Amino acid sequence: MARLKASPGLRAEGRRTAPWLATALALGLLTALAVGPAWANAATPDPVAATGPVSEPEATTSEEPPPTEGPTDPVPPGPAPETTAPAPETTPPAPVTTAPDLPPAPTTAAPGPGGPTTGAPPVPPVPPVRPPASGPVPPPSPLGVQVTTQDVTLHEAYWNTASTATTLQVTIHNTGTTAERIRLSYRLPAGLSDAGTKGCTAAGAGTYGCGAWTAEAGARFSALIRLRVDGDAWRRMPLAGSVQVVADAPGLPGEASDDQGFAVLFPPGPPVPGIALAADEVTFDISGAASTLVLRLGNTGSVDAAGQVEVVLPTGVTVPTPPDGCVAVDPTRTRCDAGVVAAGRTAELRLPVEATPEAQREAPLSGAVIGQLDPRSGATRQVQMSFRITAAAALATPVVSPPAPTGSQGVLPGGAAGDRGGTTSVQRTAIILIVVSALLVVLALTLATTSLRRRLNGPAPGPAPEPVD
């Protein structure tokens, strides 16, 4: 069979095109080798940083309204009253850890005067893997319980009686995955006492303990605690108490617990003509940053009067920097001059308020404000009232004993949300370099192919090849 012998022109053309292709492939290989270590280092997380403290996910109370049936006393033992069907539980997402930003890997030194260096660039050493600071994470406990409370709110009729009977509604939710035995206890402030709640007995120092209920997983039920408020309890405002629940299950180690405070809210009074007082609720958001207390002192009389207000805050809640016209009497008291309040007018004051993480977890709490008007003629008029203090941190996940080390409940540490689920700066740089190297290789191949096609389609540089026997 005859073979075609390549002409000298085609062989020369191949020799002229080969350097293009070789140079482009070498450039792409060098770039990929230089980027590879940086990508590897950027994608390797630091095991110690990844196992640092992570705040527990925030739990939210159910929006299901409490039962509006008649009063239900916590009568142990026996089935839980007003038990609802278990609601479908949603598994919280696992904590997300972010790979730390590592410094870029060293690049190959520039070629010296003698020309480009040959061979692959040096690969930087891989840092040693440090063992995690803590041992293996134990599996989540099947125990879980949550308690929510309503405030004890008194109305204008309180000022006309020697004592007032009221109730405190408590809602308990088995947030675990197994049946639990739940025990309840509560603490009352001075001026409040239990009014004969069935199944609950005094334990001293204003605390009371109740029996236990058996609740299935997901069950939710409510109970009413009967209280009596003394006629002079307003002199001790602000007043607040707390409710605690503890849950365990046969055959399971440890126990779960949760607690929440409740505020005792008094209306403005004792009623005095010619003066009005109002205070807005103070709310601390999930960041735990400072909030603002807004007060309004009204002169409903017919004579101008010098106004003054005094704010009393619970332990852990303070006014960090009193505004102009205000002075700190002690850590929990701040007195402000409202100036002259004209007849029929209202003076408004705003005070910055801060709370410690411990105080936020105990919320809702209550504060008190005392308003005073000193008219140019006539007696001084004074009333006081309480206001509510709430915090998102109080809705944190209930504690399971023994607790795992966590940060402040419900307060996200600074920077916790940064770069979560994204790429680091080193990884982005590596991606850009890889794309650039790929484009260079494609460009070189395109140029080489175009040149070959142009040569092949043009006139032959030499005689046609002769058949060879």
Side-chain angles (χ1 to χ4, degrees):
M1 178 179 292
R3 292 181 300 169
L4 292 179
K5 184 185 298 183
S7 67
L10 290 178
R11 289 194 298 268
E13 179 62 26
R15 287 192 296 271
R16 284 193 300 270
T17 308
W20 282 85
L21 183 57
T23 302
L25 293 177
L27 181 58
L29 178 60
L30 288 175
T31 306
L33 290 175
V35 172
W39 178 267
N41 289 341
T44 304
D46 188 342
V48 173
T51 55
V54 178
S55 297
E56 298 181 18
E58 179 184 355
T60 57
T61 58
S62 171
E63 297 183 358
E64 178 183 347
T68 56
E69 303 280 337
T72 303
D73 294 319
V75 181
E82 303 181 20
T83 303
T84 60
E89 299 291 334
T90 302
T91 304
V96 181
T97 56
T98 304
D101 286 344
L102 299 178
T107 57
T108 307
T117 59
T118 59
V123 179
V126 178
V129 178
R130 291 173 290 179
S134 59
V137 179
S141 173
L143 299 175
V145 67
Q146 188 176 56
V147 60
T148 56
T149 62
Q150 292 187 350
D151 296 322
V152 176
T153 303
L154 302 171
H155 304 285
E156 296 294 336
Y158 169 79
W159 303 111
N160 294 323
T161 58
S163 64
T164 301
T166 184
T167 57
L168 169 65
Q169 180 167 317
V170 178
T171 302
I172 303 170
H173 183 199
N174 180 357
T175 59
T177 58
T178 185
E180 299 175 345
R181 187 174 67 100
I182 302 176
R183 304 184 303 277
L184 181 144
S185 61
Y186 53 94
R187 177 186 59 82
L188 300 179
L192 274 72
S193 58
D194 187 88
T197 306
K198 295 180 180 179
C200 300
T201 57
T207 61
Y208 297 80
C210 305
W213 297 269
T214 298
E216 298 297 327
R220 190 195 318 270
F221 59 95
S222 297
L224 292 178
I225 299 174
R226 302 178 184 275
L227 302 177
R228 184 168 298 279
V229 184
D230 295 342
D232 62 349
W234 64 273
R235 301 181 183 276
R236 305 181 181 91
M237 69 172 73
L239 297 179
S242 63
V243 178
Q244 183 181 42
V245 289
V246 179
D248 57 19
L252 293 178
E255 58 187 18
S257 64
D258 188 31
D259 63 88
Q260 188 176 39
F262 63 89
V264 182
L265 304 178
F266 293 86
V272 176
I275 186 173
L277 183 64
D280 291 347
E281 179 178 320
V282 176
T283 302
F284 294 97
D285 60 20
I286 192 63
S287 69
S291 185
T292 302
L293 170 62
V294 181
L295 306 173
R296 288 176 292 275
L297 178 63
N299 183 355
T300 59
S302 57
V303 180
D304 297 349
Q308 176 182 287
V309 294
E310 184 169 322
V311 178
V312 185
L313 297 173
T315 303
V317 184
T318 58
V319 177
T321 54
D324 294 339
C326 300
V327 60
V329 179
D330 58 44
T332 61
R333 285 178 175 263
T334 302
R335 184 175 299 139
C336 297
D337 183 4
V340 176
V341 183
R345 304 299 296 271
T346 299
E348 182 177 285
L349 296 89
R350 294 175 174 268
L351 282 76
V353 179
E354 289 183 350
T356 63
E358 292 76 12
Q360 293 186 47
R361 286 196 295 269
E362 293 174 1
L365 302 169
S366 68
V369 55
I370 304 170
Q372 178 177 304
L373 287 177
D374 187 9
R376 292 173 180 170
S377 61
T380 299
R381 302 187 289 268
Q382 178 176 304
V383 294
Q384 65 187 69
M385 63 173 294
S386 54
F387 57 90
R388 195 168 187 254
I389 302 174
T390 61
L395 303 179
T397 304
V399 178
V400 177
S401 301
T406 62
S408 177
Q409 293 186 15
V411 180
L412 295 179
D419 288 342
R420 195 170 278 185
T423 58
T424 64
S425 59
V426 177
Q427 289 175 333
R428 288 191 291 269
T429 303
I431 292 174
I432 294 173
L433 292 176
I434 290 175
V435 172
V436 171
S437 64
L439 291 176
L440 288 175
V441 172
V442 172
L443 178 61
L445 292 175
T446 302
L447 292 175
T449 304
T450 304
S451 178
L452 277 174
R453 287 179 178 176
R454 187 184 302 114
R455 297 290 183 178
L456 292 174
N457 294 334
E466 300 177 358
V468 179
D469 295 335

